[in-house]
């Protein structure tokens, strides 16, 4: 048996063991060990499912940080070299939650996983990434003084997620359509049904906040080059509200809610490859039924949210790849404070 084959057998055995898999996988992102990286890459090319199954063990078990695991996933996908096969292998060896973690791990950095992930995987990652912005202490930009979540949704414009039955849709919609102040419920019996269309009438939506909306835009920029981007835009993200609706409301709110939608810059729509006139038409439809003109929007909230977003992306870009590196960084910081 050649030395090469012997090394491959040892590496494969270590990759199959959760206790040692992390030591093997991290060689993929250790540029200081060219020979070790080459050997592991050869194993990954020969057996991609083995490497993905090892990656499923999770950051703590592998001794990797979220950024480190995400970088490992990029190396594995690159080694597969075929989008269809990569999507198949990822779906068979990684759970949706793990894929979401890996998609979030690189922030705004270029990602092969973003390009090959399925739409359900992307929406799940988006939800997990944006969910922390649901903060009861942060006021909604649409209804900062509302005391309860009141939902009026435009159900004829949203898409049905994969795996959702009609009965589930009916139950979800019934649960989400609540009574506004005064006890009246919008329904099909109203004289002017067109006036009721517009999912901006959802009041106190916890995700209509600067931080969350900026994250929606971030995801749109990451996904805009996908061939199925238009389909992704029509996916429901929270409740019955679609990804596209959140994006358009982001553009409108960031422009300080102008009455004349021509004041929403073309650059906003261009940034996600959407025709400005088409975007303004859709935005007008969305906000038509909302009583939003009397709501104040503090520009300072947007400035603060942008600063926080920028700091977060910078932290991801410079994040350590392994838990060992993280601990070393903490030790250095502690020593620095003690003037060591």
């Amino acid at each position: 048996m050649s030395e090469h084959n012997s090394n491959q057998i040892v590496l494969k055995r270590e990759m199959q063991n959760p206790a040692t898999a992390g030591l093997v996988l991290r060689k993929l992102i250790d540029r200081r060990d060219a020979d070790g990286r080459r050997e592991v890459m050869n194993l990954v090319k020969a057996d991609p499912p083995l490497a993905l199954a090892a990656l499923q063990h999770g950051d703590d078990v592998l001794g990797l940080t979220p950024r480190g695991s995400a970088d490992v996933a990029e190396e594995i996908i690159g080694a597969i070299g075929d989008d269809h096969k990569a999507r198949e292998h990822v779906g068979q060896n990684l759970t949706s939650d793990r894929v979401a973690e890996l998609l979030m791990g690189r922030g705004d950095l270029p990602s092969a996983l973003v390009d090959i992930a399925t739409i359900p995987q992307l929406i799940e990652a988006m939800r997990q990434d944006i969910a922390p912005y649901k903060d009861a202490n942060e006021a909604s930009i649409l209804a900062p003084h509302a005391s309860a979540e009141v939902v009026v949704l435009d159900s004829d414009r949203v898409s049905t997620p994969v795996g959702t039955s009609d009965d589930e849709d009916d139950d979800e919609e019934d649960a989400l359509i609540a009574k506004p102040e005064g006890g009246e419920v919008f329904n099909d019996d109203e004289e002017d049904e067109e006036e009721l269309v517009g999912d901006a009438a959802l009041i106190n939506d916890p995700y209509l906040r600067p931080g969350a909306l900026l994250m929606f835009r971030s995801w749109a920029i990451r996904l805009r080059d996908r061939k199925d981007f238009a389909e992704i835009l029509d996916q429901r993200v929270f409740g019955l509200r679609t990804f596209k609706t959140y994006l358009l409301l982001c553009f409108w709110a960031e422009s300080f809610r102008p009455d004349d939608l021509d004041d929403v810059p073309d650059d906003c729509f261009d940034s996600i490859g959407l025709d400005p006139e088409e975007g303004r038409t859709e935005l007008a439809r969305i906000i038509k039924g909302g009583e939003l003109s009397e709501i104040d929007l503090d520009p300072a909230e947007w400035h603060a949210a942008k600063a926080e977003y920028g700091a977060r992306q910078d932290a991801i870009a410079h994040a350590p790849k392994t838990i060992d590196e993280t601990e070393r960084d903490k030790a250095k910081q502690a020593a620095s404070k003690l003037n060591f």
Side-chain angles (χ1 to χ4, degrees), residues 8 53 113 327:
Q8 289 292 293
L113 184 56
E327 295 302 321

Side-chain angles (χ1 to χ4, degrees), residues 250-269:
C250 174
F251 300 155
W252 179 69
E254 190 172 24
S255 303
F256 305 111
R257 302 174 299 102
D259 293 329
D260 184 352
L261 296 184
D262 286 338
D263 291 335
V264 180
D266 286 359
D267 289 349
C268 292
F269 306 102

Side-chain angles (χ1 to χ4, degrees), residues 12 65 72 90 97 103 114 184 199 244 281 291 329 336:
K12 184 172 184 178
T65 64
V72 167
V90 166
D97 282 345
L103 285 166
V114 164
E184 298 180 358
D199 28 10
K244 186 176 184 180
T281 299
E291 297 294 332
D329 287 348
S336 176

Side-chain angles (χ1 to χ4, degrees), residues 89-322:
H89 288 321
V90 166
Q92 292 174 347
N93 294 280
L94 297 173
T95 64
S96 59
D97 282 345
R98 185 56 171 154
V99 173
E101 292 173 354
L102 298 171
L103 285 166
M104 293 186 290
R106 286 176 59 85
D108 283 348
L109 295 172
S111 169
L113 184 56
V114 164
D115 295 335
I116 63 97
T118 65
I119 291 179
Q121 288 168 342
L122 291 169
I123 297 303
E124 176 61 24
M126 196 182 303
R127 287 170 177 155
Q128 290 192 28
D129 209 14
I130 294 169
Y133 289 90
K134 182 180 179 180
D135 182 358
N137 296 320
E138 181 187 358
S140 165
I141 63 170
L142 296 188
H145 304 299
S147 59
E149 291 186 15
V150 182
V151 182
V152 180
L153 294 160
D154 176 11
S155 59
D156 67 326
R157 295 288 299 183
V158 296
S159 63
T160 303
V162 176
T164 302
S165 70
D166 292 339
D167 291 340
E168 289 173 339
D169 284 349
D170 293 342
D171 292 340
E172 182 179 19
E173 187 168 354
D174 291 342
L176 288 170
I177 299 180
K179 292 184 179 181
E181 292 184 10
E184 298 180 358
V185 178
F186 292 114
N187 56 54
D188 294 336
D189 296 331
E190 297 288 347
E191 294 182 2
D192 188 358
E193 184 175 355
E194 282 298 311
E195 289 299 317
L196 304 180
V197 174
D199 28 10
L202 188 153
I203 300 174
N204 206 32
D205 179 343
Y207 302 104
L208 288 177
R209 299 188 170 101
L213 291 176
L214 288 173
M215 287 301 298
F216 277 112
R217 186 174 64 183
S218 169
W219 274 98
I221 291 172
R222 278 179 258 178
L223 297 170
R224 65 188 174 187
D225 293 330
R226 285 182 52 127
K227 295 179 180 179
D228 55 359
F229 183 55
E231 183 180 353
I232 295 172
L233 286 176
D234 287 334
Q235 296 298 306
R236 300 174 185 176
V237 184
F238 295 110
L240 300 179
R241 181 160 275 167
T242 65
F243 183 21
K244 186 176 184 180
T245 293
Y246 279 111
L247 284 172
L248 293 175
L249 287 175
C250 174
F251 300 155
W252 179 69
E254 190 172 24
S255 303
F256 305 111
R257 302 174 299 102
D259 293 329
D260 184 352
L261 296 184
D262 286 338
D263 291 335
V264 180
D266 286 359
D267 289 349
C268 292
F269 306 102
D270 291 340
S271 69
I272 61 168
L274 186 65
D275 177 74
E277 290 309 309
E278 178 186 339
R280 290 189 183 97
T281 299
E282 180 73 359
L283 183 54
R285 183 200 65 77
I286 290 170
I287 66 179
K288 184 176 182 180
E291 297 294 332
L292 311 175
S293 60
E294 298 179 2
I295 298 172
D296 292 329
L297 175 63
D298 183 359
E301 291 183 19
W302 281 98
H303 294 312
K306 283 184 175 181
E308 179 184 347
Y309 169 80
R312 180 189 183 204
Q313 296 305 319
D314 184 67
I316 291 174
H318 297 92
K321 308 293 183 68
T322 69

